Amino acid sequence: MATFSQSGLATLKMVAGPLSRRSLLSVLPAALASLSTGVIAQTLRPTPLQIVARSGVALSGVYAGHLQGACTNDRDAIYWSMTTSIVKTDVSGNVLRQITVANHHGDLCHVDGKIYVAVNLALFNDPQKRSDSWIYVYDADDLSLLKRHAVSEVVYGAGGIAFGDDRFIVVGGLPDGVGANALYEYDDQFRLRREIVLKTGQTYKGIQTAAYDGSHWWFGCYGKPDFMEVLIRADRTFDAIGKFAFDASTGLIALDRDTFLVAKAGCGKESCVARLVPVDLNAWVKDGTLRPL
């Protein structure tokens, strides 16, 4: 059965005019044809984020700190965490708003008009657990600070956050020699629900980035000469875990189950740059492009 939006009904009335039911039925095919053209054109017109997903985007400017993570508002803005600044851009990478923040702001996510950032104000990866872990909450429009939540349970330093299935998952650092990563599940008031042990083996400095695509959780980890960069995929219950040789340690955005943006970032002596490029992670897992570890 055909259904019409309010604008579609208005168009139909304009075409039909004050007609009887029989007359209305006589003009209905022509009205439907004119409506279909508009509906199809609207459906085929790509959204700003779909354009980004096809071509990627570079962050405008250079920054003192390196990229820690990125997220979108699912419409027309991208948010970049550059360690000591948060930058809001349009989908072409042009800066709309920028604020200076405390060292160290990590990975971030957008939920209902707010930006949530994993923050550690003390030591990362310290065996004596001398971290100072927080979630800072910013207004997605003007980046004003709205609230801070202490997450002292993240004992090796809060470094990343993602949201999915009505829960926040916070990730963080890891000392040398520890063979599993901890995930921390919180409600919307950042009351701890549970700690999840992710049997990943040792990853260099823990987990840096997190994202959720609606069916899988993804976690990006650093590498160094004797540690390969690792991308971890877990199912919704965190039971089935896959590890892949892929670098998503400076930013990973799941636009949907099929479309991802991964960050590529680099620093010179005094300045850092960043960009996002499209990737097809779930498809790559299926066809073997992502190499399991």
Side-chain angles (χ1 to χ4, degrees):
M1 179 180 292
T3 59
F4 300 97
S5 64
Q6 291 299 318
S7 60
L9 288 171
T11 304
L12 182 57
K13 290 176 181 177
M14 182 177 65
V15 173
L19 302 175
S20 67
R21 181 180 178 186
R22 179 174 297 178
S23 299
L24 181 60
L25 290 175
S26 69
V27 301
L28 186 57
L32 286 175
S34 65
L35 284 173
S36 298
T37 302
V39 170
I40 292 171
Q42 185 175 16
T43 302
L44 295 179
R45 186 182 302 123
T47 67
L49 284 177
Q50 286 174 330
I51 295 172
V52 170
R54 295 174 184 173
S55 60
V57 59
L59 172 61
S60 177
V62 294
Y63 300 86
H66 82 82
L67 182 65
Q68 302 288 341
C71 67
T72 78
N73 65 356
D74 298 320
R75 298 188 311 277
D76 56 7
I78 303 173
Y79 302 85
W80 314 69
S81 176
M82 300 300 294
T83 308
T84 56
S85 62
I86 300 295
V87 185
K88 177 183 178 180
T89 73
D90 62 20
V91 295
S92 297
N94 301 307
V95 176
L96 302 174
R97 177 77 171 151
Q98 180 179 341
I99 59 171
T100 300
V101 295
N103 189 4
H104 166 297
H105 273 51
D107 191 22
L108 69 177
C109 68
H110 172 275
V111 182
D112 295 333
K114 299 180 179 66
I115 303 298
Y116 296 81
V117 191
V119 177
N120 181 33
L121 303 176
L123 299 179
F124 276 103
N125 317 305
D126 179 39
Q128 298 182 41
K129 303 178 180 179
R130 292 173 292 180
S131 63
D132 186 13
S133 295
W134 296 81
I135 302 301
Y136 280 34
V137 186
Y138 294 91
D139 183 274
D141 183 25
D142 61 10
L143 299 185
S144 58
L145 179 62
L146 301 177
K147 193 173 292 187
R148 301 193 315 161
H149 299 280
V151 286
S152 58
E153 300 86 2
V154 190
V155 293
Y156 299 127
I161 185 171
F163 181 81
D165 291 341
D166 295 320
R167 56 186 171 179
F168 288 93
I169 296 295
V170 179
V171 299
L174 193 69
D176 291 341
V178 178
N181 279 286
L183 311 178
Y184 302 87
E185 180 182 322
Y186 292 93
D187 65 14
D188 60 0
Q189 299 302 310
F190 286 90
R191 294 173 293 225
L192 182 69
R193 286 178 173 169
R194 59 173 175 151
E195 179 179 337
I196 304 161
V197 177
L198 208 60
K199 296 180 180 180
T200 57
Q202 173 74 31
T203 60
Y204 181 53
K205 295 184 178 180
I207 296 173
Q208 307 300 320
T209 60
Y212 182 64
D213 68 9
S215 59
H216 295 95
W217 296 88
W218 298 83
F219 305 103
C221 307
Y222 283 149
K224 66 176 185 177
D226 54 341
F227 268 98
M228 183 179 297
E229 291 90 352
V230 173
L231 178 64
I232 301 164
R233 186 178 80 159
D235 64 6
R236 296 176 67 174
T237 61
F238 303 102
D239 292 325
I241 299 171
K243 293 171 58 180
F244 306 93
F246 186 81
D247 185 8
S249 62
T250 55
L252 180 63
I253 300 172
L255 296 178
D256 53 50
R257 296 187 185 185
D258 300 316
T259 311
F260 295 79
L261 296 170
V262 66
K264 301 296 181 182
C267 294
K269 289 184 178 180
E270 298 179 353
S271 60
C272 298
V273 296
R275 60 191 175 96
L276 297 169
V277 299
V279 294
D280 299 312
L281 295 180
N282 282 310
W284 290 356
V285 171
K286 290 180 181 179
D287 68 17
T289 301
L290 280 183
R291 181 164 60 87
L293 296 175

